Amino acid sequence: VTVEGVDVVRAAFDAFQHADEPAMFALVSEDVVVRQFPDQLDVRDYHGHAGLREMMATWIGTWDDWSIELLSAWDVAGLVLASASQRGGGSGSGVPMWAEVTFVFEVHEGTIRRWRMFHTEREALDAVGADAQA
Amino acid sequence: VAARRTRRARLKAPESSYADAEGNVLTLRGSLTPASRRQYAETLAGNPLSREDAWQRAVELLFERLVVRWEIADEPITRQRELLARFRAASPEERSWARDVLREHCAEHFPDMQAP
């Protein structure tokens, strides 16, 4: 997987940055499973393109002028880890937010099939390690 | 006969405020319902496959139920949805500080509860 997987993830981010939703979703499997931070109280899986849209709308809708920037993406044990920074302002308060986030992607045949989120690279690597042991 | 209206003052638990080194202030309510306590205990006991996730979720539950205001750089956040989102987007240092605040607050106000 690997270089191809990394390229797919980079292309998906690039499409998102250019507000090209069709191009982004073309790189996401229709059966994608998306999960937010595992320590969230209401953590659950979001399924398919509709689920991804719902998850994104919920999170992005919390902020004004939300944006995300891909910092790096690399291959780990056949998965793609991607580090990104997000920023925005609270939609009610305007309090600025800046945060790093690490994603773990599973890419299969050119599309993202699984998408997970972690607060830190360490947490993401621990999850990847746990996957390998399972 | 004019209708007589009685206005009953609603009892409100005192709030406590905690400041970090940069002057950001977290304000927590001093009461927790029995249902919230039960849910906290269940969440803390939670997923045996990941004690870390169970603990983190229990912390998030306490944050959700107790925090009424978070003032960051003199700008207050008071809406619950935004408070929780800000906690989820907090830096590791901010999260660590918030956990310490919750721990201190629980020890002070709810000493019978298992600390987060």
Side-chain angles (χ1 to χ4, degrees):
Chain A
V1 195
T2 61
V3 175
E4 184 200 334
V6 169
D7 289 344
V8 167
V9 169
R10 285 204 176 110
F13 266 87
D14 192 52
F16 180 80
Q17 297 292 12
H18 289 89
D20 188 347
E21 193 175 284
M24 190 193 99
F25 277 93
L27 296 165
V28 178
S29 165
E30 290 186 3
D31 300 323
V32 68
V33 179
V34 185
R35 179 170 275 216
Q36 287 180 295
F37 303 113
D39 57 0
Q40 280 185 207
L41 204 51
D42 54 357
V43 66
R44 68 179 176 90
D45 289 335
Y46 292 84
H47 295 272
H49 286 186
L52 176 57
R53 281 197 176 89
E54 179 191 352
M55 188 277 296
M56 288 172 70
T58 302
W59 180 249
I60 296 170
T62 310
W63 312 99
D64 287 334
D65 299 323
W66 181 88
S67 64
I68 191 162
E69 180 188 1
L70 180 65
L71 302 174
S72 58
W74 67 103
D75 171 68
V76 176
L79 301 170
V80 179
L81 264 71
S83 144
S85 70
Q86 54 174 340
R87 63 181 68 233
S91 60
S93 67
V95 173
M97 175 277 290
W98 179 92
E100 283 196 14
V101 58
T102 302
F103 301 107
V104 176
F105 295 96
E106 186 181 318
V107 179
H108 182 68
E109 294 181 352
T111 58
I112 294 167
R113 198 164 62 175
R114 196 170 174 214
W115 183 339
R116 290 179 284 169
M117 303 168 199
F118 299 89
H119 295 291
T120 64
E121 186 181 324
R122 180 72 264 158
E123 290 174 15
L125 287 168
D126 285 348
V128 170
D131 285 353
Q133 285 179 355
Chain B
V1 179
R4 205 174 69 181
R5 295 179 123 185
T6 50
R7 190 173 288 175
R8 213 177 271 174
R10 196 171 172 188
L11 283 177
K12 197 176 172 192
E15 295 175 350
S16 306
S17 293
Y18 304 82
D20 69 8
E22 276 121 37
N24 303 316
V25 180
L26 209 51
T27 302
L28 281 69
R29 59 172 58 92
S31 66
L32 200 58
T33 65
S36 290
R37 288 169 182 247
R38 219 170 23 250
Q39 198 179 347
Y40 168 71
E42 287 166 5
T43 306
L44 196 58
N47 181 359
L49 296 176
S50 176
R51 301 296 311 142
E52 174 69 17
D53 284 348
W55 179 71
Q56 297 277 11
R57 285 175 200 166
V59 168
E60 188 173 289
L61 186 141
L62 276 185
F63 185 95
E64 184 189 48
R65 302 295 158 85
L66 290 173
V67 173
V68 294
R69 181 183 165 98
W70 194 354
E71 202 173 303
I72 300 173
D74 294 327
E75 297 287 347
I77 304 171
T78 54
R79 293 199 317 192
Q80 193 174 46
R81 182 178 173 215
E82 196 185 334
L83 280 167
L84 195 56
R86 186 59 184 76
F87 181 66
R88 287 175 177 172
S91 68
E93 293 75 24
E94 285 176 320
R95 292 171 71 82
S96 172
W97 174 70
R99 281 195 296 266
D100 289 346
V101 166
L102 289 167
R103 198 172 295 124
E104 181 182 341
H105 187 77
C106 286
E108 171 79 16
H109 295 270
F110 319 112
D112 54 316
M113 272 176 41
Q114 187 180 346

